Amino acid sequence: MAQYDKADIERRMNGAVESLKGDLGGLRTGRANVSLLDPVVCEVYGAMMPLSQVATVSAPEPRMLSVQVWDKANVSAVEKGITKANLGLNPMTDGQTVRLPMPDLTEERRKELAKLAGQYSENAKIAIRNVRRDGMESLKADEKSKDISEDERKRHEEDVQKLTDKYVAEADEAAAKKEQEILTQ
């Protein structure tokens, strides 16, 4: 039975790039971005919950995040969760709204963040190459078990390589864009 599945390989490579984009979205630039608060969890109603389940996050200004807490009783828990997330943000509470001004980034911190974006990109490319390796191995196994011919294997290997090149380029592009955004604020 054939093991090679081009759609599965493409889905997994795309997943690596989407994961990279999520990671990059969480990197703080000088500009306010609601995805910055995605890792924040708060202890409410006796359970740890993501911030998105207890409040609405918005960016009313380029350098300000606003967190509108739904239940007044949870305001201090949200504040504590934001502080514990260690994002370098200083919450200011105003009724049921928690405001988060974006502090300026130092040149040193910008370079660290740019380097981190590069590391995220490299991890995504490693994941993409691992998917390629799996695809190539399944093609060789299919040829060995006589499910496909040598010519078919070579043709499919070219397809897998084209997908790999496409997704590695996407990962590089996403990281370069983020590095540019970080360094030119």
Side-chain angles (χ1 to χ4, degrees):
M1 194 186 106
Q3 296 176 349
Y4 172 72
D5 181 356
K6 182 179 176 182
D8 181 57
I9 289 172
E10 188 162 11
R11 180 188 57 75
R12 288 170 56 199
M13 287 183 178
N14 188 45
V17 172
E18 290 306 313
S19 174
L20 167 66
K21 288 178 181 174
D23 289 344
L24 291 176
L27 285 182
R28 184 163 73 85
T29 60
R31 188 172 288 140
N33 184 342
V34 294
S35 65
L36 182 63
L37 297 179
D38 287 350
V40 175
V41 289
C42 313
E43 189 173 344
V44 290
Y45 311 121
M48 296 304 281
M49 297 178 91
L51 182 63
S52 60
Q53 292 182 7
V54 294
T56 304
V57 180
S58 62
E61 301 168 31
R63 300 186 57 81
M64 173 82 68
L65 283 175
S66 175
V67 180
Q68 184 67 43
V69 184
W70 300 328
D71 184 348
K72 195 168 179 61
N74 295 334
V75 174
S76 64
V78 166
E79 228 180 289
K80 203 179 289 178
I82 291 168
T83 307
K84 273 187 180 173
N86 203 10
L87 298 169
L89 300 174
N90 195 9
M92 298 184 313
T93 306
D94 176 19
Q96 282 183 243
T97 304
V98 178
R99 296 190 198 304
L100 301 162
M102 294 284 123
D104 287 330
L105 291 174
T106 63
E107 190 61 34
E108 187 180 318
R109 182 70 178 136
R110 286 181 197 282
K111 287 179 179 165
E112 284 175 24
L113 289 171
K115 192 187 280 185
L116 192 57
Q119 288 173 350
Y120 286 167
S121 169
E122 197 51 46
N123 290 342
K125 290 191 286 188
I126 288 169
I128 291 167
R129 289 191 291 265
N130 286 341
V131 174
R132 179 189 69 191
R133 184 195 62 223
D134 293 348
M136 296 298 194
E137 285 174 359
S138 64
L139 283 169
K140 287 177 183 146
D142 287 350
E143 181 189 11
K144 194 173 184 180
S145 65
K146 305 276 189 257
D147 287 335
I148 60 173
S149 67
E150 183 180 351
D151 289 344
E152 281 180 293
R153 176 185 57 85
K154 287 180 179 174
R155 194 170 46 250
H156 288 312
E157 282 179 352
E158 283 178 25
D159 291 344
V160 170
Q161 188 57 50
K162 283 178 187 166
L163 284 174
T164 303
D165 295 343
K166 172 187 165 192
Y167 285 107
V168 164
E170 271 187 43
D172 283 338
E173 184 183 325
K177 188 175 163 190
K178 188 64 172 190
E179 285 175 19
Q180 189 66 30
E181 186 182 321
I182 290 168
L183 295 172
T184 59
Q185 285 289 311

